[in-house]
Amino acid sequence: MSSLIRDWAASTPEMLAAFGDEALIAAALAFEMALARALAAEGLIPQAAAEAIADACASPPAEAATLAREAAHAGTFAIPLVRRIRARVAQSHPEFADAVHWGATSQDVADTTLMVMSREAGELVDAGLRRLGRALADLTHRHVATPMLGRTLLQGAMPITFGLKTAGWMLGVEEARARFARERDDALQLQLGGAAGTMAGLAGRGTAIAKRMAATLGLAPAITPWHSRRDGVAGLGCALALVTCAVAKIARDVSLLSQGEVGEAREPRVEGRGGSSAMPHKHNPTGCQVALSAAIRAPGLAGTLLVALPQEHERGLGGWQAEGPVIAELFELAHGAIAAMAAVIEGLEVFEAAMMRNLAAAQVGSDTGESEALARRALAAIAAAEPA
Amino acid sequence: MSSLIRDWAASTPEMLAAFGDEALIAAALAFEMALARALAAEGLIPQAAAEAIADACASPPAEAATLAREAAHAGTFAIPLVRRIRARVAQSHPEFADAVHWGATSQDVADTTLMVMSREAGELVDAGLRRLGRALADLTHRHVATPMLGRTLLQGAMPITFGLKTAGWMLGVEEARARFARERDDALQLQLGGAAGTMAGLAGRGTAIAKRMAATLGLAPAITPWHSRRDGVAGLGCALALVTCAVAKIARDVSLLSQGEVGEAREPRVEGRGGSSAMPHKHNPTGCQVALSAAIRAPGLAGTLLVALPQEHERGLGGWQAEGPVIAELFELAHGAIAAMAAVIEGLEVFEAAMMRNLAAAQVGSDTGESEALARRALAAIAAAEPA
Amino acid sequence: MSSLIRDWAASTPEMLAAFGDEALIAAALAFEMALARALAAEGLIPQAAAEAIADACASPPAEAATLAREAAHAGTFAIPLVRRIRARVAQSHPEFADAVHWGATSQDVADTTLMVMSREAGELVDAGLRRLGRALADLTHRHVATPMLGRTLLQGAMPITFGLKTAGWMLGVEEARARFARERDDALQLQLGGAAGTMAGLAGRGTAIAKRMAATLGLAPAITPWHSRRDGVAGLGCALALVTCAVAKIARDVSLLSQGEVGEAREPRVEGRGGSSAMPHKHNPTGCQVALSAAIRAPGLAGTLLVALPQEHERGLGGWQAEGPVIAELFELAHGAIAAMAAVIEGLEVFEAAMMRNLAAAQVGSDTGESEALARRALAAIAAAEPA
Amino acid sequence: MSSLIRDWAASTPEMLAAFGDEALIAAALAFEMALARALAAEGLIPQAAAEAIADACASPPAEAATLAREAAHAGTFAIPLVRRIRARVAQSHPEFADAVHWGATSQDVADTTLMVMSREAGELVDAGLRRLGRALADLTHRHVATPMLGRTLLQGAMPITFGLKTAGWMLGVEEARARFARERDDALQLQLGGAAGTMAGLAGRGTAIAKRMAATLGLAPAITPWHSRRDGVAGLGCALALVTCAVAKIARDVSLLSQGEVGEAREPRVEGRGGSSAMPHKHNPTGCQVALSAAIRAPGLAGTLLVALPQEHERGLGGWQAEGPVIAELFELAHGAIAAMAAVIEGLEVFEAAMMRNLAAAQVGSDTGESEALARRALAAIAAAEPA
């Protein structure tokens, strides 16, 4: 589908690259190269075969569009990719052609490729969340004692401080970050099982080969192949949706505070963004829009990964094939939301006078209770959780 | 995200084109051109202005990738697109530059563009469903009296005929097609409301202008602008998900019948598809895989459109912006599933001997009840519903 | 689960009764009674047997709680129900015991029971939507020309009239009502197929029997049994979710207009509702809360019915068994939302002075464009659609 | 809705009790009692007031049905509950009536009550998963070297051992259990924030009071009130859905292995379960049905909790009110699935001869690769993770 409909408005250039054609083909080639070298190291193929395969994997074997068409026909991109690598090897070293992809199945490449891309993508998400967390901590420090009207059920309720509100945003983001980190650590595993997940054809060296490959590719080795045990993938997806929605909570509040009649905060004006051709006076909360839109889309995608879970037998029909685009989209939406709101929070305009005015108008007194102490405790908890 | 992860394996080249960059830009340009001509016809701008604008819309104003980047910054593709058209007009006819996009808002372009693309896409879906329906009717005719084992709760139950089973598939597809046709007719409306949906600035000629534009663009005119009344979009999305899942019901059954131990049917072997590098003996049900995978993904997307429905005020924040990619993906998945299963049904290998053998082994007698009569009634009902 | 967690806060007493124990058992007994009478009318069992069975079905054969426990053990409520009816018949007429449930399968009872309850429930939904529609038409008439600030992306945009806003609500509700009516008409079909959907054991009179039963029970006869063709159920569920979310759109807007700083509308104060023990000044939008909460829950339930669609073979494992509670919950949520918002709209407090004040403060002039004409057109369209 | 539609067939009596009327009212009374005692301990109310309140909370203040109706009217069960407790206190000690619920808001009671019930429910889930895990370990031990046909994409592929298959089930269950345990530990927090989450009116002793209450109620204290920071709830819900779907993976495989033509395994026959009135020869996989049905329903519910996340301001409108029934339903479905499959695995009939026969018929040799070693490694990993 046109990038004008999707990617660009919802994600970031870095994240789009992390799941782009180049990254995918590179990851798949890295898999085949790592497999060949591990096979050689364990004595299953000659060292020269590994080198011949590595040479054949040094550059993409075809244009992405060509591979995509072939993949559509074959039902998986692994088949045309492997065939083309094998053809390259056969040209120079016909005796090593059979060593390409030895012991592996298409899903081994597909799953590992997805995990390698997810590792890169995960670092972007983590860095983005840390950036957003820092901006939220700064904002909380600045406004730890700024009084404003607390609102419940969309009605004015009792006084709070703005710092207590932002501390809640901050804790929500931090909790989502911690969960994502855990799920990512669990999910990022190498896949190597062969046709039915038994590591057949690897002369009993399957585990050793997998260990070598995992080290090379920066993934954890799996206890057993996880071809049809997909809770790691689904857990990762749920964590990404949670990240997105925790970030959107901030966008919900900022957009409500930015309403003309409230006027307590406003996302920073960015030249050429959030304007309206028809209404030059407008200053739309475009950053919030990106995050809220992502939060509308993420839950259904996380649910999809759960739906896909009960996959048939050793490798299922339709389930794991549904996961790749969904995981990629969840990463894209999460990072788009994070990046948009990090910019919003870093440059947020806060109108304390409006806060005072609205608070006074609500006639609910001025007792902010333990707001300040609670916000400080949140800051301390976050600081304590930070690595030295 | 890489097309190797998504589009190609899940959809068809025609459907990918229907939501491609070229189609989207063409639809947006058609909107601006139709608007200019309707404005001129209603006397709001000079005829010469309409011609100047039409000239400026005769070709894409920039590469899709450029527009995508600008759209990401602006928050909508309408802003850079209109700016570029306006710049083109300004070069030749500076006095007409302001007439570009007159009276319209970004969402008018975005919504109408989505509907124009959906109209084309809808014809593909409809044609695909009719093709699949014909194949199912043929199959039903051929096997109206072929006895086989009926299975309930995944256990052998009682005799049926294969024609009764395929009649159920056929009715499911036809019911889904009829619902899709209704929802499509309801949803495909022009959007023209201006900044707040009031048709302000159109000198009271808004309705007349919208009527002209609708006729030009092959859409229905709306009773009132539907900027924040999105049940048409959500209804269309639910109908597409239903289509996908009704088609996947066939895939579920075919894949179960294709199990080695059952062996009653098999999707046609396509050179280069459904094979396995590791297992030359395998003949994977790749067509069924495409449909089942689509059916795992479609429900979450339909749910997303429902989640997006309660949009704020005159034009919402985040809701309608979430819809475009979701609708496009639902069309892509639906058409991918339909095309895959049409090919499967047209070439389905049916093994009557295996059906007889499994039926006999189940020791449930041979009384197929009214199976044949029921299948014939379904065929008659479908034939009666057909246009002459 | 405790009714304090669920039913009461989300639905209405009438709707809870429509899916209550009493209604369910009555519908199941009506099925067995109608089956017996149709069997007799078609000459398959003696008239006396039909009367004996009708007598046995005149009252619930056991407490609901007892049947529920037995159903949990058996995996379906049909098994204990039929066993108990049969036992009753056997006491007075042992020779007719076998005639009970003759030719039917558990799913026939379960599906038909669900449809009979859905018919009653559907009348509640329809009546509620008509009531809400009338209230919206009245409100639109009253405020067709009341100027207020139109808001887009949660920012003040351009002037509109309140009547244009409420006309949008009204059209949204009416479109959702029309879709629901269509889906209901399609879905409400009798189920009678026997063990494998072939009508075996009914001496070729299955279709005639089904036709009689359908007439008795107020349902349409099916072309063929739909044991594993569930698009009607899923379509009905999607329509209910759409109804709920179209109603929640109104709640979204009313709750935003009710914010203290906006103050343009307020749901009517109901003694004992929407108050706060801690904050006597508060007047919470509890009606809106009910609708918004329902709209958060309905999409996932509609998606569930889509997920369940590709059911296995003649009668599936797990799919149709998942539908009953989901359909019932969708009806409950829809009716809860409708009833809550009908009361809100009927008694809505509108503060025109605040509308004027906020409009003036936004400095966007006073041109409401064609707002009034558009609202009147919506009223005319609705009036034209009404039956005489 | 009728328990014949929902609870009983999908859950267990213990879990239904954990979210039953009695449990809910008891938890709410425990909250008020713990609050009163903590207030007294911190010197905010006299000790005698705490005792008077504790006396008033010693028994339910009204029938559940009465409270439910009052809750529906008020919009929350806390309002009638507190009013009735206060009335009881007022009878004996009018001077202490105001001390009831002092400093708390309705959501404090509602959230804490949900967490107290979730704690009990969580122990049931955990115990169920451990039971299932033990049964899976036993099964794996027994069949670590039993050869069978491995199946991929629903086609026979290569030899595996049954123990490798069951080891995958076991690891999936264990991973889901570990995730659930983490999420539960994170989520089970006391809620005490008062009207706007500031702990106003508690004389600066709010944190101390909350700490005491948390200890009494067996929950963790929160860093700050989490009235509108709901990632803990959503995380818990996702973990429950993952548990359900990991269990359903087993049901998927068992039901496929139980097909008549495959005949390699069968869930134990339970008197009165899984039979068919129409087909005495049938032995339906009813346990698998319960789990598969739950797995169809759980993903939409988890998605609902994600949708609800971006809640407004200090306490939202509609979001948190949607969570209670959804969390309860997720617990009910999870436990129903676990209990059903624990019984299935404990009594699973395994037909090794059929496994041999199907394997031989597939003509894929007999090399099970490292199946046995992999299964043993999984057992060792599970054993190592166990507490001594």
Side-chain angles (χ1 to χ4, degrees), chain D residues 225-253:
Chain D
W226 45 281
H227 288 140
S228 61
R229 189 174 76 247
R230 313 298 288 185
D231 62 277
V233 174
L236 183 64
C238 289
L240 284 165
L242 265 152
V243 161
T244 306
C245 295
V247 171
K249 151 66 178 164
I250 308 175
R252 175 79 72 215
D253 283 359

Side-chain angles (χ1 to χ4, degrees), chain B residues 13 15 18 70 119 128 138 144 170 174 228 246 255-256 304 373:
Chain B
M15 186 55 87
E70 293 175 357
R119 195 196 53 211
D138 286 351
V144 76
M170 179 181 66
E174 171 57 21
S228 60
S255 62
L256 289 170
T304 297

